Amino acid sequence: MTSDDERWVSQAVALATANVADGGGPFGAVVVRAGVVIGTGQNRVTRDNDPTAHAEVQAIRAACLAIEDFSLAGATVYTSCEPCPMCLAACLWARVDRVVYAADRADAAHAGFDDSAFYDLLGSDPDTWSMPVRRHRIPSASAPMEAWLARPNRVEY
């Protein structure tokens, strides 16, 4: 870890603390590339009635909008708390170079944000999940993928 890491993760924690003061959840995130903040986010789940509005997702959206690209290669996501599985997947899809967090999942669980059920679920057999996720193949199921493959000007990701 570097002094820059300390600076940016501290900013993420400050965003999280400020969000609590504003009635939001205790999560904040900062996306930094080449020493410049390109996106920030705070948890807006209850404010926006959006279960995907986690701080990391908000920061990734803001950063991608700012740089006009879906790839955040070369960037680091600094977050006030260890990312949940959704946010970790968002970081992977955004192709960030790394994630640095302050509090961990035990700290989050202590505050009532226990993601262990999601971590456990993703590691288990989908046939045992309480929410069924089932394939229902129809004849046109592969049509969108075939249309994608046939598109000569598609943007690979």
Side-chain angles (χ1 to χ4, degrees):
M1 294 296 153
T2 68
S3 61
D4 284 341
D5 290 335
E6 179 85 15
R7 173 179 156 198
W8 300 123
V9 80
S10 293
Q11 185 174 340
V13 169
L15 283 169
T17 304
N19 200 44
V20 171
D22 289 340
F27 305 98
V30 179
V31 180
V32 177
R33 187 161 68 181
V36 176
V37 173
I38 58 173
T40 64
Q42 294 169 299
N43 181 285
R44 300 292 192 204
V45 171
T46 56
R47 186 198 78 176
D48 295 352
N49 294 316
D50 179 353
T52 68
H54 289 203
E56 297 90 338
V57 172
Q58 298 290 85
I60 288 168
R61 289 174 180 162
C64 290
L65 186 63
I67 66 168
E68 298 180 341
D69 196 347
F70 61 84
S71 174
L72 296 175
T76 298
V77 172
Y78 293 94
T79 183
S80 61
C81 190
E82 182 177 2
C84 72
M86 177 182 69
C87 292
L88 185 57
C91 290
L92 290 165
W93 274 110
R95 293 163 177 76
V96 300
D97 284 10
R98 63 193 187 116
V99 175
V100 177
Y101 61 89
D104 65 15
R105 63 180 80 175
D107 296 312
H110 174 73
F113 299 92
D114 190 355
D115 297 340
S116 64
F118 298 120
Y119 284 104
D120 293 346
L121 178 74
L122 294 173
S124 68
D125 179 351
D127 288 335
T128 67
W129 294 1
S130 62
M131 179 189 72
V133 178
R134 302 290 184 257
R135 178 181 175 192
H136 181 80
R137 185 117 182 137
I138 60 174
S140 61
S142 61
M145 300 305 167
E146 294 305 321
W148 170 258
L149 289 171
R151 186 176 173 191
N153 60 343
R154 68 182 178 265
V155 177
E156 299 288 342
Y157 67 100

